[in-house]
C-alpha cells in the first residue's frame, strides 16, 4: 500500500510512566498544561450496560512527556470544558462514543478533532482497531486486556491502568504517521472534512417517539397496534432516561409488542400479557403503561409517508447496480475504505438526483460523484476491462 512501511510484530512494550489524577488540584494542573499544547491524545473508558446514560469511569490523556489517567469517580470533569473549547487538536480513535461521554461529562466536545480510525479509511483500511493500527504503523502490540473489565471498580489494578494508558501513549505517533501518508496522497483535507462531520454530529437526547423503530418486531405492526407500540416505547424511553437504567430493564421489547397487540385496558388484562410481571401490572408502573396504551389508541398515529423523491419514471436499479460496482472498484484502486466512500443508499441517492446526496458534495464528489453524474447523464459509459469496471468516454455507437 502506498506510503506504508512494513513492520515486524513485537511483544508488547512496557507502558510509559503515568500519573493517576484524583484530586481537583491535580486536574487543574493537567488542564493548565494542556491549554498550551497544540494537540493531545484522548480516550475514555465507560460503561452503559446497566445505565441509560454512559457512565464515564476513566479519562486518559497524553501529550509530549506526559500521560495522565483522570478518575471521574473522584473529581468532577467540568474543568476539562476549557480544554474542549480550546484550539488544541484532540486525537482520538473511533471517537463517536467518546464524544458522547465527553459532552455529558463536560458539556462540550473538542473544537478540533482528528479520528485515527476515520483517517485510516482514507488509506484503504476498513474500520481498523486501535491495536491493528499500532501494529501496522508502529510495529508494536498493545497490552492484552480483558474487554469486560470493570472500569468502575476501585482501586484500579496496575494491569488495568497500563491497558488504559497504552491506548493513548503512542496515539500522537500514529497521528503523525497517518497525516504523512495522507499528505502524500493529497487526502489530509478529506480526512479533516470527515472528522468535522463526526465532531459536529448531533448527539442530543434521543426523540422518545422514534424509539419504536429500534424494536424489530414493532416495525411490522400495523394500524392501532403500531400507534400503541410507539406510545409505549416513548414512555419506556423517557422512564429509562429518568431513572438512568437501560430500556430493557424498564420493559422488554417483547412486552412492548405484546402490550401493543393486546391493547389491555385494565391491570388484570395487563397482567396476562407476555413479558409483563404481574406485580408491575398492578402497581404504579402498570398504570403508566395503561396510560400509554390509551394515549396510543387515542392518537391513532400512522407513520408519515416517505419523502417524495425525484421520480421521472425510470427504473434506476440496473444503473445503481452497475455504478455501485464501479464505486467499489474506485475504492480499491485508490486505496479507500469502500464504506467510507459510499454506501448503496448513497449511490441510489445520486443516481436518483437527490439534492442532498452525499456523493454530490465534498471529497466524495471529487472522487466519484462527478464521474457518476456524467455517467447518469449519458456522457460516459462503463465497461469491463481486465476484470475491472472502467469509466470511459461514450462513443454513442450502439453495439446492436
Amino acid at each position: 500500500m502506498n506510503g506504508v512501511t512494513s513492520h515486524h510484530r513485537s511483544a508488547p512494550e512496557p507502558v510509559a510512566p503515568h500519573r493517576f489524577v484524583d484530586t481537583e488540584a491535580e486536574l487543574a494542573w493537567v488542564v493548565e498544561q494542556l491549554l498550551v499544547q497544540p494537540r493531545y491524545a484522548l480516550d475514555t473508558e465507560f460503561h452503559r450496560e446497566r445505565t441509560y446514560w454512559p457512565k464515564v469511569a476513566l479519562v486518559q490523556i497524553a501529550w509530549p512527556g506526559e500521560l495522565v489517567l483522570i478518575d471521574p469517580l473522584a473529581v468532577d470533569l467540568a474543568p476539562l470544558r476549557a480544554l474542549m473549547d480550546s484550539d488544541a487538536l484532540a486525537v482520538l480513535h473511533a471517537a463517536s462514543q467518546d464524544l458522547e461521554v465527553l459532552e455529558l461529562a463536560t458539556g462540550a466536545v473538542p473544537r478540533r478533532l482528528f479520528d485515527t480510525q476515520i483517517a485510516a479509511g482514507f488509506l484503504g483500511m476498513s474500520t481498523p482497531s486501535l491495536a491493528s493500527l499500532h501494529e501496522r504503523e508502529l510495529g508494536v502490540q498493545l497490552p492484552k486486556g480483558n474487554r469486560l473489565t470493570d472500569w468502575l471498580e476501585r482501586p484500579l489494578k496496575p494491569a488495568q491502568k497500563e491497558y488504559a494508558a497504552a491506548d493513548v501513549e503512542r496515539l500522537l505517533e500514529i497521528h503523525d504517521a497517518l497525516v504523512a501518508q495522507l499528505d502524500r496522497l493529497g487526502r489530509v483535507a478529506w480526512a479533516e472534512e470527515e472528522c468535522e462531520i463526526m465532531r459536529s454530529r448531533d448527539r442530543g437526547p434521543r426523540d422518545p417517539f422514534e424509539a419504536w423503530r429500534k424494536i424489530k418486531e414493532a416495525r411490522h405492526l400495523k394500524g392501532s397496534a403500531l400507534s400503541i407500540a410507539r406510545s409505549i416505547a416513548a414512555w419506556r424511553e423517557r422512564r429509562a432516561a429518568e431513572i438512568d437504567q437501560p430500556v430493557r430493564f424498564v420493559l422488554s421489547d417483547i412486552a412492548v409488542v405484546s402490550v401493543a397487540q393486546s391493547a389491555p385496558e385494565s391491570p388484570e388484562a395487563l397482567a396476562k400479557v407476555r413479558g409483563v410481571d404481574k406485580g408491575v401490572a398492578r402497581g404504579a408502573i402498570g398504570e403508566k403503561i395503561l396510560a400509554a396504551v390509551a394515549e396510543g389508541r387515542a392518537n391513532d398515529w400512522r407513520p408519515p409517508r416517505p419523502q417524495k423523491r425525484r421520480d421521472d419514471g425510470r427504473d434506476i436499479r440496473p444503473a445503481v447496480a452497475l455504478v455501485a460496482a464501479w464505486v467499489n472498484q474506485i475504492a480499491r484502486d485508490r486505496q479507500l475504505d469502500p464504506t467510507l466512500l459510499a454506501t448503496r443508499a448513497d449511490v441510489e441517492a445520486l443516481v436518483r438526483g437527490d439534492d442532498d446526496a452525499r456523493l454530490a458534495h465534498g471529497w466524495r464528489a471529487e472522487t466519484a460523484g462527478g464521474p457518476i453524474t456524467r455517467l447518469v447523464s449519458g456522457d460516459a459509459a462503463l465497461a469491463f476491462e481486465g476484470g475491472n469496471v472502467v469509466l470511459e468516454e461514450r462513443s454513442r455507437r450502439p453495439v446492436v
Side-chain angles (χ1 to χ4, degrees):
M1 204 168 281
N2 287 345
V4 177
T5 303
S6 176
H7 296 284
H8 296 290
R9 287 190 177 187
S10 62
E13 294 187 359
V15 178
H18 47 274
R19 64 177 73 193
F20 195 71
V21 174
D22 57 2
T23 69
E24 293 181 3
E26 290 174 313
L27 180 56
W29 176 86
V30 168
V31 173
E32 181 182 357
Q33 298 300 307
L34 284 167
L35 288 178
V36 297
Q37 295 295 321
R39 62 176 182 162
Y40 58 92
L42 187 148
D43 189 28
T44 69
E45 304 297 342
F46 60 91
H47 290 290
R48 70 187 319 162
E49 294 83 4
R50 294 185 172 275
T51 58
Y52 181 86
W53 306 104
K55 186 169 181 60
V56 60
L58 198 66
V59 176
Q60 308 98 283
I61 305 181
W63 65 100
E66 294 287 350
L67 197 163
V68 297
L69 307 179
I70 304 172
D71 183 4
L73 305 190
V75 295
D76 187 349
L77 297 178
L80 288 177
R81 174 68 185 259
L83 178 60
M84 301 295 102
D85 291 339
S86 74
D87 289 329
L89 177 67
V91 180
L92 293 88
H93 181 83
S96 179
Q97 293 190 81
D98 296 303
L99 294 178
E100 181 184 0
V101 168
L102 290 170
E103 190 160 46
L104 284 170
T106 72
V109 297
R111 284 182 59 190
R112 298 176 61 220
L113 170 71
F114 186 94
D115 188 319
T116 53
Q117 188 177 75
I118 288 176
F122 289 100
L123 300 172
M125 290 173 272
S126 182
T127 56
S129 67
L130 185 58
S132 65
L133 268 185
H134 274 74
E135 293 184 12
R136 180 184 186 273
E137 300 300 330
L138 306 178
V140 300
Q141 289 184 320
L142 290 178
K144 300 292 183 182
N146 184 354
R147 294 182 60 194
L148 301 180
T149 190
D150 185 358
W151 291 105
L152 292 170
E153 73 170 290
R154 293 295 184 271
L156 290 173
K157 299 178 180 67
Q160 288 177 300
K161 292 181 179 180
E162 289 190 4
Y163 178 85
D167 283 350
V168 294
E169 179 189 1
R170 306 189 74 167
L171 198 54
L172 295 183
E173 293 179 56
I174 290 176
H175 174 233
D176 288 334
L178 295 179
V179 168
Q181 295 170 58
L182 290 168
D183 187 50
R184 285 194 289 272
L185 295 171
R187 296 177 182 174
V188 173
W190 295 4
E192 289 175 345
E193 178 182 330
E194 207 63 22
C195 287
E196 177 58 19
I197 291 172
M198 160 79 76
R199 190 199 71 82
S200 58
R201 187 171 295 155
D202 181 19
R203 283 172 292 274
R206 288 172 283 195
D207 181 356
F209 285 106
E210 290 296 307
W212 68 273
R213 299 184 188 276
K214 298 180 181 179
I215 305 173
K216 183 178 179 181
E217 293 80 5
R219 296 198 295 266
H220 301 296
L221 296 175
K222 304 293 183 183
S224 63
L226 176 57
S227 182
I228 293 172
R230 175 176 178 264
S231 181
I232 297 172
W235 165 79
R236 182 180 71 163
E237 194 79 17
R238 291 191 297 265
R239 174 68 179 172
E242 178 187 352
I243 64 177
D244 196 19
Q245 287 192 348
V247 292
R248 68 181 185 278
F249 286 12
V250 176
L251 196 66
S252 70
D253 286 358
I254 289 176
V256 171
V257 175
S258 297
V259 171
Q261 289 175 323
S262 58
E265 298 184 13
S266 67
E268 293 73 25
L270 180 61
K272 296 177 181 178
V273 175
R274 180 185 178 189
V276 180
D277 180 85
K278 289 181 174 57
V280 168
R282 295 187 173 94
I285 295 301
E287 293 179 5
K288 299 289 187 183
I289 296 173
L290 289 172
V293 171
E295 179 186 357
R297 185 188 295 110
N299 288 343
D300 199 26
W301 176 86
R302 296 291 184 274
R305 292 186 177 183
Q307 183 179 359
K308 193 170 183 180
R309 298 287 189 174
R310 238 177 243 184
D311 184 7
D312 55 10
R314 296 176 301 156
D315 181 1
I316 65 171
R317 288 174 297 178
V320 167
L322 195 58
V323 170
W326 180 66
V327 167
N328 284 332
Q329 183 71 52
I330 289 179
R332 288 193 297 270
D333 291 346
R334 302 195 182 185
Q335 297 177 333
L336 288 167
D337 177 2
T339 60
L340 182 63
L341 176 57
T343 63
R344 187 177 182 87
D346 292 330
V347 173
E348 289 178 359
L350 187 66
V351 172
R352 193 167 47 231
D354 296 349
D355 293 334
D356 58 352
R358 288 206 307 167
L359 277 165
H361 305 281
W363 66 271
R364 291 183 176 86
E366 178 183 339
T367 306
I372 292 173
T373 300
R374 291 192 64 206
L375 175 69
V376 173
S377 66
D379 294 331
L382 289 176
F384 288 98
E385 183 177 299
N388 294 329
V389 182
V390 180
L391 185 72
E392 56 187 29
E393 295 292 337
R394 185 177 175 188
S395 68
R396 298 187 184 276
R397 293 196 301 271
V399 175
V400 293

